[in-house]
């Protein structure tokens, strides 16, 4: 009996998998129903995010109105005026319906502490987060896929044991703890190691042109290294596990029997069939590009969305934390949806 992967392995180089195996392409058959189901699921998830973002942060301890006064003497009338100004005196159900109505039109409200539209605050901090997490995601995805593939293909060997051991260790390390450790060693300096990098921030100031680019790159090293160390470990372990599941497939034996080199068998047959779980993780990581890393940005005082979320949560600045939560969760939902839509392209059996 010929398995589905074996059919893909018997096709001529460059031939579409669906044609070679006699299966219909991803845009035929049940794909429209599959597409409608995924889009519907994403819409329901976004609605659940709106509901969760409103009620979740209502249970956070603290009075946002009192926090805005910073402990200054304030009369009850002044506090009541502030609550009325921000709509906090309305019944909870009315606050919820007003919030949903504005959010569906793209209006995320006005920040309590910054007295500015939430959308503008997010747009202002977004480039810094994209620079930090985008750089890290590209680096650790490429590194994890490359090392995970080679560790699985030579599983049981010294290199596999070394890569797996290091990855398991780094995956278990809290990112904020690793960031603090890097600051102590490479920013403050320890023993013979001098302080080479800034302790935080995105720039030193006073630079322009190429000097500004180099300055930002200098500040970027330690936070990116922190994110890459933790992220590559997860990618490596998932890719290694997925590829090991494919190693015993008959279609790989068939490919070798046809005279293909071991590298070609791995690259053209084993790796494409092992990519589905890794593709999901890579797209989820792309969602994290928007969400950033709250702990790492806070540790390194990086002026991105993660640090802004921490500031908003400490008040609590309800419109800002709700808006950021919606943006973070929405990015994850969209990226997960794109991964689902890409599955039938990688494996025509999906969505039939």
């Amino acid at each position: 009996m010929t398995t589905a992967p074996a059919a893909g392995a018997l096709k001529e180089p460059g031939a579409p998998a669906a044609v070679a195996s006699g299966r219909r392409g991803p845009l035929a058959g049940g794909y429209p129903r599959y597409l409608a189901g995924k889009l519907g699921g994403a819409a329901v998830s976004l609605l659940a995010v709106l509901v969760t973002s409103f009620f979740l942060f209502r249970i956070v301890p603290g009075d946002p109105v009192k926090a805005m006064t910073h402990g200054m003497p304030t009369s009850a009338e002044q506090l009541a005026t502030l609550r009325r100004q921000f709509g906090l005196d309305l019944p909870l159900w009315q606050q919820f319906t007003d919030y949903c109505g504005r959010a569906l039109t793209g209006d995320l409200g006005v920040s309590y502490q910054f007295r500015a539209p939430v959308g503008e605050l997010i747009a202002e901090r977004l480039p810094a987060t994209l620079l930090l997490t985008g750089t890290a995601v590209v680096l650790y995805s490429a590194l994890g896929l490359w090392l995970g593939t080679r560790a699985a293909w030579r599983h049981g060997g010294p290199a596999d044991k070394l890569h797996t051991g290091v990855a398991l260790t780094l995956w278990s390390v809290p990112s904020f703890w690793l960031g603090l450790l890097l600051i102590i060693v490479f920013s403050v300096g320890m023993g013979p190691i001098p302080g080479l990098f800034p302790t935080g921030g995105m720039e030193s100031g006073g630079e322009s042109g190429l000097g500004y680019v180099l300055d930002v790159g200098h500040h970027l090293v330690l936070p990116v290294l922190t994110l890459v160390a933790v992220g590559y470990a997860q990618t490596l372990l998932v890719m290694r596990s997925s590829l090991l599941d494919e190693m015993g497939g008959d279609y790989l034996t068939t490919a070798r029997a046809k005279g293909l080199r071991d590298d070609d068998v791995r690259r053209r047959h084993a790796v494409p069939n092992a990519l589905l779980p890794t593709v999901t993780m890579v797209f989820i990581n792309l969602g994290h590009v928007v969400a950033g890393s709250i702990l790492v940005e806070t540790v390194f005082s990086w002026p991105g969305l993660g640090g802004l979320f921490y500031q908003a949560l400490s008040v609590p600045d309800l419109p800002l934390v709700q808006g950021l939560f919606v943006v973070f969760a929405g990015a994850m939902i969209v990226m997960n949806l794109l991964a689902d839509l890409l599955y039938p392209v990688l494996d025509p059996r999906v969505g039939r």
Side-chain angles (χ1 to χ4, degrees):
M1 180 177 67
T2 304
T3 62
L10 292 173
K11 65 182 178 62
E12 294 299 324
V19 175
S21 61
R23 295 192 298 265
R24 293 176 295 178
L27 299 180
Y31 187 76
R33 184 171 61 253
Y34 172 84
L35 175 61
K38 293 301 179 182
L39 291 174
V44 172
S45 297
L46 286 173
L47 180 61
V49 165
L50 284 178
V51 175
T52 304
S53 65
F54 180 83
F55 290 102
L56 177 64
F57 299 108
R58 291 306 191 278
I59 64 176
V60 175
D63 187 340
V65 173
K66 289 183 178 180
M68 281 187 287
T69 63
H70 302 289
M72 295 183 296
T74 309
S75 66
E77 290 77 10
Q78 290 173 318
L79 292 175
T81 301
L82 285 173
R83 287 193 174 90
R84 185 167 55 253
Q85 178 183 348
F86 291 108
L88 295 174
D89 61 328
L90 298 174
L92 191 61
W93 67 266
Q94 189 172 348
Q95 293 182 45
F96 175 67
T97 54
D98 290 345
Y99 162 72
C100 288
R102 291 194 306 268
L104 291 175
T105 61
D107 181 5
L108 298 176
V110 177
S111 167
Y112 293 162
Q113 58 181 323
F114 295 104
R115 304 297 177 90
V118 171
E120 292 182 7
L121 293 172
I122 292 175
E124 180 183 338
R125 299 289 191 102
L126 183 59
T129 289
L130 293 179
L131 176 63
L132 172 62
T133 55
T135 302
V137 166
V138 170
L139 290 177
Y140 72 62
S141 295
L143 183 64
L145 287 172
W146 182 63
L147 291 178
T149 298
R150 278 150 181 76
W153 204 248
R154 298 287 185 267
H155 64 282
D160 177 34
K161 294 178 180 178
L162 174 64
H163 291 316
T164 304
V166 172
L168 285 171
T169 302
L170 291 175
W171 199 10
S172 304
V173 172
S175 59
F176 73 89
W177 182 86
L178 181 59
L180 290 172
L181 183 63
L182 292 177
I183 289 175
I184 292 172
V185 175
F186 296 107
S187 292
V188 178
M190 176 179 288
I193 303 176
L196 301 174
F197 300 98
T199 56
M202 183 176 173
E203 57 180 295
S204 301
E207 300 287 347
S208 61
L210 180 60
Y212 174 77
V213 174
L214 294 176
D215 184 35
V216 172
H218 192 214
H219 285 75
L220 198 63
V221 172
L222 291 186
V224 165
L225 182 59
T226 303
L227 292 174
V228 167
V230 177
Y232 109 90
Q234 180 185 16
T235 309
L236 182 150
L237 293 172
V238 171
M239 186 62 196
R240 179 182 179 276
S241 175
S242 181
L243 187 56
L244 283 175
D245 290 340
E246 299 291 333
M247 294 282 286
D250 293 339
Y251 68 101
L252 297 183
T253 303
T254 303
R256 291 188 178 95
K258 292 169 62 178
L260 293 179
R261 295 184 307 161
D262 198 55
D263 287 345
D264 291 333
V265 173
R266 182 188 71 239
R267 186 179 65 254
R268 294 169 54 186
H269 299 287
V271 170
N273 283 304
L275 276 179
L276 285 184
T278 313
V279 164
T280 300
M281 189 184 60
V282 168
F283 271 86
I284 289 176
N285 289 338
L286 289 176
H288 283 302
V289 170
V290 176
S293 177
I294 297 173
L295 294 177
V296 172
E297 288 192 11
T298 302
V299 166
F300 288 96
S301 302
W302 190 262
L305 295 181
L308 183 63
F309 186 82
Y310 177 80
Q311 285 180 271
L313 197 58
S314 62
V315 172
D317 188 338
L318 295 179
L320 188 51
V321 292
Q322 288 170 179
L324 287 168
F325 183 82
V326 168
V327 171
F328 294 167
M332 299 294 291
I333 291 171
V334 170
M335 288 299 112
N336 194 50
L337 174 63
L338 292 178
D340 287 337
L341 298 183
L342 184 62
Y343 281 171
V345 177
L346 298 175
D347 188 346
R349 294 170 296 178
V350 177
R352 292 186 63 192

